[in-house]
Amino acid sequence: MFIFGGRFSNKRLGDFWVLDTEIWQWDFAAASSIGDRKIVMHGGWDGKKWLSDTYVLDTMSLEWTELAVTGTLPPPRCGHTATMVEKRLLVYGGRGGGGPIMGDLWALKGLIEEENETPGWTQLKLPGQAPSPRCGHTTTSGGHYLLLFGGHGTGGWLSRYDIYYNDCIVLDRVSAQWRRLPTSGDPPPARAYHSMTCVGSRYLLFGGFDGKSTYGDFWWLVPEGDPIAKRFTASPLEVIPQNKDDSVHSHKESQSEGSAILELQKRLEISASLSNSGLQIVDELEDREFLELASGLIGEKVSNNGQEIQAVRDHWRKSEPGSVKLKELGPLLRDYQRLITRHYLANGGADLISTESRFPGKDSHRFYHIKSASKLRMDDIPKLLEEYKQLSSD
């Protein structure tokens, strides 16, 4: 996450801090990544006035450039969201100058240099069940949808207090309309100024504020067909039950794999409970992100001849840590785990010592137990890539 500005006591800050991730948002202004190198920031409040300007940050040179935009601009605002969707930046809601809370949707073109478009704003008025005006909400991109959650709005002229929301509204990019997302189970308490991140097909909610209390809780929103739910369900992170059928199935498979897995757990210092708590080794042809990367490298749809799989592995063997894109980390981590598992199963655990001699000490295969690439730190990537190159060359 790139963190810019904010408030310390009565002083407003303009400093810049960097923590790498895929979602960008900070206090009062809103921002989103453009590809792997740039960030676009729009609007905000500088302590004296609401803003409607747009800046682009080059994360390599750390240089800001103001985007020269022609035509009508969105009204100045803060507490809005800015979400990059393919070639357009979508801005929704926020609080405007003088205090009104907005419910408008705008799209900005001209952010992709290769398109050679003149930067300009267009207000979008879409059909369907549009969200009520609000600020402090989140808008998270996932697949063909944008999921808007929470935020707060005014309670009307008879009320002195804002209304806080916990509703889910989806912007369907295919049909270009809004719709309410029905959920089952007990929803999270209403809140604003939280974070919502798309993790695969799930959405992870953290924190927020409801006008009185500050939250530090985690909630998952999971889709139909997810192993942990049969319908869309909001569940506190700490109490999600494991699917019993899946657990039994995994247990039966681990019994057939025999002592090699037990030896692997012992060597990698992984407890049995941790290894069975969600780490699943999937085949390359069932790894959607791996196949998409293969298709991108060879320029055609992946078949079943193994040539494309080898192309991906050759790509990573030739890569330097700084050239590995964020979207590649998930497929890279899963393929690393595949190679380790297959190696030990094929050899019955007999040559663990000879293989580990290339990675001395407890650090050998240190990333095997990690369930998600989101758990990796930036300084883990060179180590992961080094181990992967050794494994894939065997």
Side-chain angles (χ1 to χ4, degrees), residues 113-392:
E113 294 180 358
E114 293 77 11
E115 297 296 320
N116 292 319
E117 293 181 310
T118 301
W121 289 98
T122 302
Q123 185 173 4
L124 305 178
K125 298 182 179 180
L126 303 181
Q129 301 169 306
S132 57
R134 63 188 68 195
C135 64
H137 55 285
T138 51
T139 304
T140 311
S141 179
H144 296 297
Y145 304 99
L146 289 177
L147 174 66
L148 187 149
F149 175 81
H152 70 97
T154 57
W157 67 276
L158 289 177
S159 174
R160 297 172 51 196
Y161 305 103
D162 283 357
I163 295 177
Y164 286 78
Y165 300 105
N166 62 350
D167 51 351
C168 294
I169 301 108
V170 168
L171 174 56
D172 189 325
R173 292 165 48 200
V174 176
S175 63
Q177 64 180 356
W178 295 101
R179 65 180 176 87
R180 300 278 166 169
L181 180 66
T183 62
S184 62
D186 294 329
R191 65 190 68 199
Y193 306 108
H194 51 280
S195 68
M196 177 80 84
T197 305
C198 184
V199 184
S201 61
R202 302 173 181 176
Y203 293 86
L204 179 61
L205 167 68
F206 172 71
F209 177 70
D210 67 358
K212 297 180 181 179
S213 303
T214 300
Y215 292 102
D217 51 350
F218 288 88
W219 292 73
W220 282 114
L221 180 67
V222 299
E224 184 180 3
D226 190 283
I228 67 172
K230 295 182 180 179
R231 295 179 296 170
F232 271 98
T233 307
S235 303
L237 180 63
E238 63 272 18
V239 298
I240 290 179
Q242 290 191 0
N243 187 305
K244 293 183 179 179
D245 293 336
D246 287 348
S247 299
V248 171
H249 181 65
S250 299
H251 179 64
K252 288 182 178 178
E253 289 182 342
S254 66
Q255 283 182 325
S256 65
E257 290 163 359
S259 60
I261 290 293
L262 296 177
E263 179 67 11
L264 179 59
Q265 292 171 356
K266 180 179 177 182
R267 291 280 180 174
L268 301 182
E269 297 186 342
I270 303 169
S271 67
S273 60
L274 177 60
S275 63
N276 290 332
S277 63
L279 179 62
Q280 296 181 353
I281 307 300
V282 298
D283 187 79
E284 292 90 342
L285 298 177
E286 296 176 356
D287 190 331
R288 180 177 57 83
E289 292 181 334
F290 187 91
L291 296 179
E292 289 175 355
L293 180 58
S295 297
L297 289 172
I298 65 172
E300 60 186 49
K301 187 175 180 181
V302 174
S303 61
N304 196 15
N305 59 18
Q307 201 170 15
E308 299 86 353
I309 295 171
Q310 193 59 42
V312 177
R313 290 177 177 154
D314 289 341
H315 162 71
W316 282 325
R317 275 197 291 265
K318 297 175 184 177
S319 296
E320 295 298 324
S323 66
V324 178
K325 298 179 179 179
L326 288 176
K327 65 180 180 181
E328 295 182 38
L329 291 180
L332 174 61
L333 177 64
R334 291 191 294 274
D335 202 44
Y336 164 89
Q337 292 163 340
R338 269 193 295 269
L339 292 174
I340 292 174
T341 302
R342 288 176 182 168
H343 179 86
Y344 290 122
L345 291 179
N347 293 278
D351 62 346
L352 278 166
I353 296 176
S354 63
T355 303
E356 287 188 350
S357 62
R358 304 173 191 172
F359 309 103
K362 293 183 179 180
D363 288 340
S364 63
H365 307 326
R366 74 199 86 179
F367 307 108
Y368 180 81
H369 64 286
I370 295 179
K371 300 178 188 177
S372 170
S374 63
K375 302 293 185 183
L376 293 170
R377 300 173 302 182
M378 292 301 295
D379 58 358
D380 287 334
I381 298 174
K383 303 169 189 174
L384 172 63
L385 193 61
E386 178 189 1
E387 289 193 27
Y388 180 84
K389 291 178 179 180
Q390 292 280 9
L391 289 164
S392 60

